[in-house]
Amino acid sequence: MKKSILALSLLAGFALAAEINIYSARHYDADTQLYKLFEEKTGIKVNATQAKGGELIKKLEVEGDSSVADLFITADAGNFYTAKKKGVLQSVKSQTLEKIVPVQYRDSEGYWFAISKRARIIAYDKRNFDPSIIKNYQDLTKPELKGKLLIRSATAGYNTSLLASIIESEGVDAASKWAKGTLANLARDPKGGDRDQAKAIFAGEGQVAVMNTYYIGLMLNSPKPEDVEVAKILGVIFPNQDNRGTHVNISGIALTKASKNKENAIKFMEFMVSPEAQKILAGINYEYPVNTAVEPSDTIKAFGKFKEDSTPLYKSVEKISEAVKIFDMAGWK
């Protein structure tokens, strides 16, 4: 009898130990739902710590091998490039992840994998702007756009990753021309997030903004009537459809170097690209699913189909340092 009780106690202790610890820079309701669903399906408890991507990379670096984190989740491939360089991640070999996540949206050595996609598009004011003058990102440097362009600062990861993709695809000279030309066309100093650019268009501060599609989806479906009103006046241009395609960034996931629950952590990584999880990411957060078996939300589908840049992100993010220098030399803030 005593032996049976002891065995049950040990089993209970093992069950309690079935957990994973996530450091996440994401802060969405969809993620909370996904954690709960994973717990229900597997019995593995999910503990999440939230902070900005750069802060979490620093935390992983300081904690070293004593870190409790098993997984690192963040947006922007540039963050994964930095984390890999800092040595806080480890490679994962998974047939499931390699089969589902396209080559251009995962690290070539398995250090990170996309869980969703974010197209970096050009939004315009449908009330008074002719979108026919913009076909490519380089068109944002046209003199006709002087005083009309809105964008986040040069320190925003989405912008440095976009410029890095221009370096990779078109070269340093083209990237420098783009940085100088867009700066000359700004309606105001670069600042705020993507939602702030949309609100500035609505307020008439500018007519064109560089944004991610999912922000428009979130605003169109917001419980705040004022957000819906702003988003409804926005049109969407997918740049570079006649050549390399529109730049697409990601939200992704990586196994930390210090992971103590590696097997369960990889189960969670594979769960995040499953059709079940991808439908939640696409349906609640309006991101493009990385699993091609899942359709985007109706809101996002209404923007139209488009050609994605097929340049692997792991290649373009290697140009991040050059992109930062080019922004600095052009005088960006």
Side-chain angles (χ1 to χ4, degrees):
M1 183 67 178
K2 285 183 178 178
K3 286 184 178 178
S4 298
I5 293 173
L6 178 61
L8 286 171
S9 299
L10 288 172
L11 284 171
F14 178 78
L16 288 172
E19 63 177 13
I20 52 172
N21 298 294
I22 299 174
Y23 283 2
S24 177
R26 287 171 56 97
H27 48 81
Y28 305 113
D29 293 341
D31 295 45
T32 305
Q33 287 194 27
L34 289 167
Y35 298 160
K36 186 178 178 185
L37 180 61
F38 181 75
E39 288 178 341
E40 291 171 353
K41 289 175 72 72
T42 65
I44 299 168
K45 183 173 172 50
V46 176
N47 306 308
T49 298
Q50 291 182 347
K52 292 182 178 180
E55 293 171 353
L56 292 174
I57 293 171
K58 185 66 180 175
K59 184 172 172 67
L60 287 168
E61 199 176 2
V62 170
E63 292 174 345
D65 292 340
S66 64
S67 176
V68 297
D70 299 297
L71 293 165
F72 173 52
I73 296 177
T74 191
D76 182 26
N79 277 325
F80 287 111
Y81 172 71
T82 301
K84 182 181 176 183
K85 277 188 68 177
K86 297 284 187 183
V88 297
L89 306 180
Q90 64 174 299
S91 177
V92 170
K93 189 72 178 172
S94 161
Q95 289 184 352
T96 299
L97 291 168
E98 290 168 12
K99 181 181 178 183
I100 293 174
V101 183
V103 170
Q104 70 262 39
Y105 300 125
R106 55 182 161 92
D107 181 65
S108 61
E109 298 176 308
Y111 279 84
W112 51 264
F113 297 83
I115 56 172
S116 64
K117 301 183 292 183
R118 300 165 170 202
R120 197 74 177 147
I121 54 88
I122 297 165
Y124 66 93
D125 190 339
K126 290 193 290 190
R127 299 171 300 185
N128 54 25
F129 183 80
D130 176 8
S132 66
I133 66 171
I134 299 176
K135 299 291 185 189
N136 302 304
Y137 291 112
Q138 290 293 356
D139 291 335
L140 294 175
T141 68
K142 286 181 174 179
E144 302 98 290
L145 293 181
K146 191 167 184 62
K148 297 178 180 177
L149 177 61
L150 298 154
I151 194 168
R152 298 168 82 148
S153 75
T155 59
Y158 293 130
N159 282 348
T160 50
S161 289
L162 171 60
L163 187 58
S165 78
I166 295 173
I167 297 170
E168 176 67 23
S169 300
E170 302 172 43
V172 170
D173 289 345
S176 298
K177 180 182 175 185
W178 187 84
K180 291 174 184 173
T182 49
L183 182 64
N185 282 343
L186 292 183
R188 63 181 187 185
D189 285 343
K191 63 180 180 180
D194 281 12
R195 285 186 181 86
D196 297 311
Q197 314 313 318
K199 290 174 183 175
I201 288 180
F202 184 80
E205 288 187 65
Q207 292 178 296
V208 176
V210 180
M211 293 181 62
N212 286 341
T213 40
Y214 85 103
Y215 283 108
I216 302 175
L218 287 170
M219 295 180 81
L220 282 170
N221 294 279
S222 171
K224 299 177 181 176
E226 59 270 28
D227 283 352
V228 178
E229 193 176 4
V230 167
K232 280 185 174 177
I233 62 101
L234 299 177
V236 172
I237 299 169
F238 290 102
N240 295 70
Q241 294 304 284
D242 294 331
N243 41 72
R244 68 183 173 98
T246 297
H247 171 64
V248 175
N249 210 321
I250 61 161
S251 263
I253 192 165
L255 185 69
T256 66
K257 185 180 179 183
S259 175
K260 314 293 189 301
N261 303 291
K262 185 174 175 179
E263 185 178 342
N264 289 339
I266 293 174
K267 279 182 186 173
F268 184 81
M269 295 174 77
E270 293 173 342
F271 164 76
M272 288 295 279
V273 299
S274 68
E276 194 172 12
Q278 291 282 291
K279 284 177 185 173
I280 292 173
L281 286 169
I284 297 178
N285 222 39
Y286 305 100
E287 298 169 277
Y288 287 98
V290 75
N291 187 329
T292 56
V294 177
E295 292 280 320
S297 69
D298 289 342
T299 298
I300 295 300
K301 274 198 278 191
F303 297 154
K305 294 183 177 179
F306 69 102
K307 176 183 174 183
E308 301 175 23
D309 188 347
S310 61
T311 306
L313 284 176
Y314 68 82
K315 278 191 173 180
S316 61
V317 293
E318 290 175 355
K319 305 293 190 298
I320 290 277
S321 296
E322 285 181 80
V324 171
K325 287 178 185 175
I326 288 171
F327 271 138
D328 286 345
M329 289 177 68
W332 274 68
K333 294 182 179 177

